[in-house]
């Protein structure tokens, strides 16, 4: 059986500290690269702008009628549309939550 190479306690601590520092550096790099700046907003299509305006109109109408506590429901799927406005709706009505 080969004789183990003796390492002092200081060497173990130094090796452990270097490995920990390297792990932290590697983990922190991707996080900082994704937070470098705000992502450019993609333009909202005319169809989505129209849909958002319609929702805003319905909300204003419900507020005028005194139905502020009422629940307005909207379906996720609209027939005959080519755009999915889910991201735009999320950004407009509560994207920072």
């Amino acid at each position: 059986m080969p004789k183990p190479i003796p390492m002092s306690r200081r060497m173990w601590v130094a090796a452990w500290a270097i490995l920990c520092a390297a792990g932290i550096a590697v983990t922190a790099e991707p996080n900082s690269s994704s937070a470098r700046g705000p992502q450019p907003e993609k333009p909202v299509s005319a169809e989505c702008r129209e849909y958002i305006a319609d929702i805003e109109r319905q909300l204003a109408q419900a507020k005028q009628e005194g139905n502020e506590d009422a629940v307005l429901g909207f379906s996720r799927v609209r027939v005959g549309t080519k755009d999915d406005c889910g991201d735009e709706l999320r950004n407009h009505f509560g994207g920072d939550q």
Side-chain angles (χ1 to χ4, degrees):
M1 186 162 174
K3 186 176 179 181
I5 300 172
M7 272 184 90
S8 69
R9 187 172 290 171
R10 284 184 187 173
M11 289 292 277
W12 279 109
V13 170
W16 179 79
I18 290 170
L19 286 174
C20 286
I24 290 170
V26 168
T27 303
E29 192 276 325
N31 293 339
S32 66
S33 67
S34 64
R36 287 195 179 141
Q39 298 292 329
E41 290 187 28
K42 65 179 187 176
V44 179
S45 70
E47 187 175 358
C48 290
R49 277 195 307 269
E50 183 179 314
Y51 187 52
I52 290 171
D54 184 46
I55 292 172
E56 297 251 348
R57 182 189 54 75
Q58 290 181 34
L59 289 171
Q61 182 180 4
K63 189 174 182 179
Q64 261 184 347
E65 294 172 358
N67 295 335
E68 293 182 37
D69 295 333
V71 175
L72 292 175
F74 300 96
S75 67
R76 293 183 59 95
V77 178
R78 296 176 302 146
V79 178
T81 61
K82 59 182 175 179
D83 287 340
D84 176 26
C85 301
D87 292 338
E88 288 83 358
L89 287 170
R90 229 174 276 111
N91 291 339
H92 184 79
F93 290 106
D96 294 336
Q97 294 179 358

